[in-house]
Amino acid sequence: MSLKQKAEAFLDLLESEEGGPGVTLARRSAVLREIDRHRFYEHTPEELLWGCRFAWRHSVRCIGRYFWKQLEVRDARQTECAEGLAEKCVEHLKLATNGGAVRPLVTVFPAQRGRVPWRVWNYQLVRYAGYAAEDGEVLGDPAEARFTEHCKTLGWNAPERPGRFDVLPIVVSGPGARPAVFEVPPESVLEVKMEHPEFLWFKEMELRWYSVPVVTNMLLEIGGIRYPAAPFNGWYMGTEIGARNLADWSRYDVLPELAERMGIFEKREGSLWRDKALVELNRAVLHSFREAGVRMIDHHTAAQLHVRFEEEEKACGRPVTGRWDWLVPPISGAASPLWVRAYDPTEYSPNFLNQKPAWE
Ligand code: ARG
């Protein structure tokens, strides 16, 4: 599809949207004229807002889409320097965290016009460093080992005494701007220390996680216009931390230690020590966020709300899309109402798309 066709498809979608901003004939011809002249057109603030909301609604991997209309947008399309982008990223963190009452938010940086776009290199605005030793052992988050290396090469001063939960800096590059490293001020990162509702010793494991997952490496596409830098967030679902980040063997891999402390660790897999430890870890995550007053959803409630979302979409005559392998929660899969459903994985536009890492 040409840019004109993509733009028109987006305007059609806007027009058909109940409760949406609508599209005037004058706007349609203005868009086409702008494309003729510049092979580009600028979204109005309303178009940007709804484009972002559609992009969330179309995100086939997201179980949280029931709340798509609540998404707020910060228009940062005029921000054209690395310091400016980094500053807006830190502001995003504060606004989205909102003292624990996490708000779904996207900050939209300049659209791609030339060959080199503005990019924020991080996977998320907040992530923990992974320090790889010679023997391959990683201190911290192994998923961030590569990015941590890049940060160091770009001049990041890692803490003198590296730990398991060191917040990584933000890396920004753009047209005429070589990659630059910006420290995230600690006061803008709300973290939750993990404790368990019954196991008093749990806090001795000194586990923690940050409050808000702000995905930064995806490309926002609206009506043929590409926004390679558009950090967005919702709130966490407990299992993302309890069944993946802290539990995966290729991540923090805490299940053996937890099972040991619970006194249930053994060779025999058939005792299901892993499963028991997993459930307690997930209880601890949900309990800790709750105690800290940070918004988080459990996977059962999230799945129920996704079913509601599917029903609403059907009622509006829209196709329901999804990726089964992403939507079904990573624990108690068959206990979820999503397990028995089938999904069409088509990624409609607008959407948040994967793109090559900025360093490639
Ligand atoms: N799964 C990712 C993580 O654990 C976050 C992805 C986005 N999650 C969300 N709830 N919006 O950090």
PDB file of all heavy atoms in Angstrom, residues 101-120:
ATOM      1  N   ALA A 101      -0.507   4.816  41.389  1.00  0.00           N
ATOM      2  CA  ALA A 101      -1.763   4.681  40.632  1.00  0.00           C
ATOM      3  C   ALA A 101      -1.427   4.717  39.143  1.00  0.00           C
ATOM      4  O   ALA A 101      -1.726   5.691  38.449  1.00  0.00           O
ATOM      5  CB  ALA A 101      -2.730   5.795  41.010  1.00  0.00           C
ATOM      6  N   VAL A 102      -0.785   3.645  38.675  1.00  0.00           N
ATOM      7  CA  VAL A 102      -0.182   3.611  37.326  1.00  0.00           C
ATOM      8  C   VAL A 102      -1.190   3.968  36.238  1.00  0.00           C
ATOM      9  O   VAL A 102      -2.319   3.486  36.237  1.00  0.00           O
ATOM     10  CB  VAL A 102       0.420   2.222  37.051  1.00  0.00           C
ATOM     11  CG1 VAL A 102       1.042   2.160  35.667  1.00  0.00           C
ATOM     12  CG2 VAL A 102       1.441   1.858  38.125  1.00  0.00           C
ATOM     13  N   ARG A 103      -0.747   4.858  35.329  1.00  0.00           N
ATOM     14  CA  ARG A 103      -1.604   5.308  34.232  1.00  0.00           C
ATOM     15  C   ARG A 103      -1.053   4.832  32.896  1.00  0.00           C
ATOM     16  O   ARG A 103       0.136   5.026  32.633  1.00  0.00           O
ATOM     17  CB  ARG A 103      -1.601   6.842  34.174  1.00  0.00           C
ATOM     18  CG  ARG A 103      -2.285   7.510  35.298  1.00  0.00           C
ATOM     19  CD  ARG A 103      -2.551   8.944  34.931  1.00  0.00           C
ATOM     20  NE  ARG A 103      -1.306   9.726  34.899  1.00  0.00           N
ATOM     21  CZ  ARG A 103      -1.264  11.020  35.183  1.00  0.00           C
ATOM     22  NH1 ARG A 103      -2.371  11.665  35.483  1.00  0.00           N
ATOM     23  NH2 ARG A 103      -0.122  11.670  35.144  1.00  0.00           N
ATOM     24  N   PRO A 104      -1.889   4.263  32.015  1.00  0.00           N
ATOM     25  CA  PRO A 104      -1.439   3.912  30.672  1.00  0.00           C
ATOM     26  C   PRO A 104      -1.120   5.179  29.879  1.00  0.00           C
ATOM     27  O   PRO A 104      -1.946   6.081  29.808  1.00  0.00           O
ATOM     28  CB  PRO A 104      -2.644   3.191  30.046  1.00  0.00           C
ATOM     29  CG  PRO A 104      -3.485   2.765  31.208  1.00  0.00           C
ATOM     30  CD  PRO A 104      -3.279   3.824  32.258  1.00  0.00           C
ATOM     31  N   LEU A 105       0.104   5.229  29.344  1.00  0.00           N
ATOM     32  CA  LEU A 105       0.581   6.467  28.734  1.00  0.00           C
ATOM     33  C   LEU A 105       1.539   6.158  27.595  1.00  0.00           C
ATOM     34  O   LEU A 105       2.311   5.205  27.667  1.00  0.00           O
ATOM     35  CB  LEU A 105       1.320   7.271  29.821  1.00  0.00           C
ATOM     36  CG  LEU A 105       1.850   8.647  29.464  1.00  0.00           C
ATOM     37  CD1 LEU A 105       0.719   9.623  29.182  1.00  0.00           C
ATOM     38  CD2 LEU A 105       2.720   9.191  30.610  1.00  0.00           C
ATOM     39  N   VAL A 106       1.471   6.968  26.529  1.00  0.00           N
ATOM     40  CA  VAL A 106       2.488   6.883  25.484  1.00  0.00           C
ATOM     41  C   VAL A 106       3.019   8.277  25.225  1.00  0.00           C
ATOM     42  O   VAL A 106       2.269   9.261  25.272  1.00  0.00           O
ATOM     43  CB  VAL A 106       1.933   6.216  24.191  1.00  0.00           C
ATOM     44  CG1 VAL A 106       0.633   6.813  23.758  1.00  0.00           C
ATOM     45  CG2 VAL A 106       2.941   6.290  23.054  1.00  0.00           C
ATOM     46  N   THR A 107       4.326   8.368  25.046  1.00  0.00           N
ATOM     47  CA  THR A 107       4.960   9.626  24.641  1.00  0.00           C
ATOM     48  C   THR A 107       5.433   9.454  23.210  1.00  0.00           C
ATOM     49  O   THR A 107       6.191   8.535  22.922  1.00  0.00           O
ATOM     50  CB  THR A 107       6.161   9.963  25.553  1.00  0.00           C
ATOM     51  OG1 THR A 107       5.685  10.158  26.893  1.00  0.00           O
ATOM     52  CG2 THR A 107       6.852  11.237  25.086  1.00  0.00           C
ATOM     53  N   VAL A 108       4.945  10.320  22.325  1.00  0.00           N
ATOM     54  CA  VAL A 108       5.270  10.169  20.904  1.00  0.00           C
ATOM     55  C   VAL A 108       6.347  11.171  20.499  1.00  0.00           C
ATOM     56  O   VAL A 108       6.138  12.385  20.550  1.00  0.00           O
ATOM     57  CB  VAL A 108       4.023  10.347  20.026  1.00  0.00           C
ATOM     58  CG1 VAL A 108       4.377  10.126  18.554  1.00  0.00           C
ATOM     59  CG2 VAL A 108       2.924   9.383  20.458  1.00  0.00           C
ATOM     60  N   PHE A 109       7.516  10.657  20.098  1.00  0.00           N
ATOM     61  CA  PHE A 109       8.620  11.479  19.622  1.00  0.00           C
ATOM     62  C   PHE A 109       8.507  11.655  18.104  1.00  0.00           C
ATOM     63  O   PHE A 109       7.623  11.059  17.488  1.00  0.00           O
ATOM     64  CB  PHE A 109       9.948  10.849  20.057  1.00  0.00           C
ATOM     65  CG  PHE A 109      10.177  10.923  21.554  1.00  0.00           C
ATOM     66  CD1 PHE A 109      10.341   9.776  22.330  1.00  0.00           C
ATOM     67  CD2 PHE A 109      10.208  12.159  22.186  1.00  0.00           C
ATOM     68  CE1 PHE A 109      10.538   9.864  23.700  1.00  0.00           C
ATOM     69  CE2 PHE A 109      10.404  12.251  23.559  1.00  0.00           C
ATOM     70  CZ  PHE A 109      10.576  11.104  24.319  1.00  0.00           C
ATOM     71  N   PRO A 110       9.385  12.468  17.500  1.00  0.00           N
ATOM     72  CA  PRO A 110       9.230  12.781  16.074  1.00  0.00           C
ATOM     73  C   PRO A 110       9.094  11.543  15.186  1.00  0.00           C
ATOM     74  O   PRO A 110       9.753  10.531  15.407  1.00  0.00           O
ATOM     75  CB  PRO A 110      10.519  13.538  15.734  1.00  0.00           C
ATOM     76  CG  PRO A 110      10.921  14.179  17.013  1.00  0.00           C
ATOM     77  CD  PRO A 110      10.542  13.192  18.086  1.00  0.00           C
ATOM     78  N   ALA A 111       8.243  11.665  14.181  1.00  0.00           N
ATOM     79  CA  ALA A 111       8.082  10.598  13.184  1.00  0.00           C
ATOM     80  C   ALA A 111       9.343  10.502  12.343  1.00  0.00           C
ATOM     81  O   ALA A 111      10.123  11.453  12.263  1.00  0.00           O
ATOM     82  CB  ALA A 111       6.882  10.907  12.299  1.00  0.00           C
ATOM     83  N   GLN A 112       9.515   9.343  11.729  1.00  0.00           N
ATOM     84  CA  GLN A 112      10.666   9.165  10.854  1.00  0.00           C
ATOM     85  C   GLN A 112      10.434   9.914   9.551  1.00  0.00           C
ATOM     86  O   GLN A 112       9.407   9.736   8.895  1.00  0.00           O
ATOM     87  CB  GLN A 112      10.888   7.685  10.561  1.00  0.00           C
ATOM     88  CG  GLN A 112      12.047   7.447   9.603  1.00  0.00           C
ATOM     89  CD  GLN A 112      12.663   6.082   9.731  1.00  0.00           C
ATOM     90  OE1 GLN A 112      12.077   5.181  10.316  1.00  0.00           O
ATOM     91  NE2 GLN A 112      13.857   5.921   9.188  1.00  0.00           N
ATOM     92  N   ARG A 113      11.387  10.752   9.153  1.00  0.00           N
ATOM     93  CA  ARG A 113      11.269  11.465   7.872  1.00  0.00           C
ATOM     94  C   ARG A 113      12.437  11.122   6.971  1.00  0.00           C
ATOM     95  O   ARG A 113      12.255  10.764   5.834  1.00  0.00           O
ATOM     96  CB  ARG A 113      11.168  12.970   8.109  1.00  0.00           C
ATOM     97  CG  ARG A 113       9.961  13.270   8.978  1.00  0.00           C
ATOM     98  CD  ARG A 113       9.296  14.588   8.748  1.00  0.00           C
ATOM     99  NE  ARG A 113       9.042  14.974   7.405  1.00  0.00           N
ATOM    100  CZ  ARG A 113       8.413  16.098   7.070  1.00  0.00           C
ATOM    101  NH1 ARG A 113       8.013  16.913   8.021  1.00  0.00           N
ATOM    102  NH2 ARG A 113       8.198  16.393   5.819  1.00  0.00           N
ATOM    103  N   GLY A 114      13.636  11.220   7.483  1.00  0.00           N
ATOM    104  CA  GLY A 114      14.808  10.874   6.670  1.00  0.00           C
ATOM    105  C   GLY A 114      15.239   9.443   6.952  1.00  0.00           C
ATOM    106  O   GLY A 114      14.460   8.629   7.429  1.00  0.00           O
ATOM    107  N   ARG A 115      16.502   9.165   6.639  1.00  0.00           N
ATOM    108  CA  ARG A 115      17.021   7.813   6.796  1.00  0.00           C
ATOM    109  C   ARG A 115      17.243   7.472   8.273  1.00  0.00           C
ATOM    110  O   ARG A 115      16.994   6.354   8.705  1.00  0.00           O
ATOM    111  CB  ARG A 115      18.336   7.674   6.018  1.00  0.00           C
ATOM    112  CG  ARG A 115      18.656   6.274   5.529  1.00  0.00           C
ATOM    113  CD  ARG A 115      19.939   6.281   4.699  1.00  0.00           C
ATOM    114  NE  ARG A 115      21.061   6.892   5.417  1.00  0.00           N
ATOM    115  CZ  ARG A 115      21.793   6.262   6.345  1.00  0.00           C
ATOM    116  NH1 ARG A 115      21.541   5.020   6.649  1.00  0.00           N
ATOM    117  NH2 ARG A 115      22.788   6.885   6.956  1.00  0.00           N
ATOM    118  N   VAL A 116      17.732   8.466   9.029  1.00  0.00           N
ATOM    119  CA  VAL A 116      18.049   8.213  10.444  1.00  0.00           C
ATOM    120  C   VAL A 116      16.948   8.762  11.347  1.00  0.00           C
ATOM    121  O   VAL A 116      16.706   9.966  11.367  1.00  0.00           O
ATOM    122  CB  VAL A 116      19.396   8.878  10.819  1.00  0.00           C
ATOM    123  CG1 VAL A 116      19.733   8.604  12.282  1.00  0.00           C
ATOM    124  CG2 VAL A 116      20.509   8.387   9.911  1.00  0.00           C
ATOM    125  N   PRO A 117      16.258   7.915  12.079  1.00  0.00           N
ATOM    126  CA  PRO A 117      15.197   8.394  12.959  1.00  0.00           C
ATOM    127  C   PRO A 117      15.719   8.641  14.380  1.00  0.00           C
ATOM    128  O   PRO A 117      16.811   8.212  14.735  1.00  0.00           O
ATOM    129  CB  PRO A 117      14.245   7.203  12.984  1.00  0.00           C
ATOM    130  CG  PRO A 117      15.155   6.008  12.882  1.00  0.00           C
ATOM    131  CD  PRO A 117      16.348   6.439  12.067  1.00  0.00           C
ATOM    132  N   TRP A 118      14.910   9.316  15.181  1.00  0.00           N
ATOM    133  CA  TRP A 118      15.181   9.365  16.620  1.00  0.00           C
ATOM    134  C   TRP A 118      14.859   8.001  17.208  1.00  0.00           C
ATOM    135  O   TRP A 118      13.827   7.405  16.899  1.00  0.00           O
ATOM    136  CB  TRP A 118      14.339  10.446  17.299  1.00  0.00           C
ATOM    137  CG  TRP A 118      14.892  11.805  17.052  1.00  0.00           C
ATOM    138  CD1 TRP A 118      14.426  12.723  16.150  1.00  0.00           C
ATOM    139  CD2 TRP A 118      16.035  12.400  17.675  1.00  0.00           C
ATOM    140  NE1 TRP A 118      15.217  13.841  16.166  1.00  0.00           N
ATOM    141  CE2 TRP A 118      16.211  13.674  17.095  1.00  0.00           C
ATOM    142  CE3 TRP A 118      16.938  11.976  18.664  1.00  0.00           C
ATOM    143  CZ2 TRP A 118      17.241  14.533  17.482  1.00  0.00           C
ATOM    144  CZ3 TRP A 118      17.969  12.828  19.036  1.00  0.00           C
ATOM    145  CH2 TRP A 118      18.110  14.084  18.457  1.00  0.00           C
ATOM    146  N   ARG A 119      15.757   7.500  18.037  1.00  0.00           N
ATOM    147  CA  ARG A 119      15.521   6.213  18.696  1.00  0.00           C
ATOM    148  C   ARG A 119      15.915   6.294  20.162  1.00  0.00           C
ATOM    149  O   ARG A 119      16.881   6.964  20.528  1.00  0.00           O
ATOM    150  CB  ARG A 119      16.389   5.113  18.044  1.00  0.00           C
ATOM    151  CG  ARG A 119      15.940   4.662  16.658  1.00  0.00           C
ATOM    152  CD  ARG A 119      14.658   3.852  16.661  1.00  0.00           C
ATOM    153  NE  ARG A 119      14.730   2.606  17.400  1.00  0.00           N
ATOM    154  CZ  ARG A 119      15.038   1.420  16.875  1.00  0.00           C
ATOM    155  NH1 ARG A 119      15.321   1.304  15.596  1.00  0.00           N
ATOM    156  NH2 ARG A 119      15.031   0.321  17.616  1.00  0.00           N
ATOM    157  N   VAL A 120      15.156   5.602  21.002  1.00  0.00           N
ATOM    158  CA  VAL A 120      15.577   5.345  22.371  1.00  0.00           C
ATOM    159  C   VAL A 120      15.989   3.877  22.362  1.00  0.00           C
ATOM    160  O   VAL A 120      15.192   3.014  22.005  1.00  0.00           O
ATOM    161  CB  VAL A 120      14.438   5.595  23.379  1.00  0.00           C
ATOM    162  CG1 VAL A 120      14.921   5.348  24.806  1.00  0.00           C
ATOM    163  CG2 VAL A 120      13.907   7.020  23.226  1.00  0.00           C
TER     164      VAL A 120
END
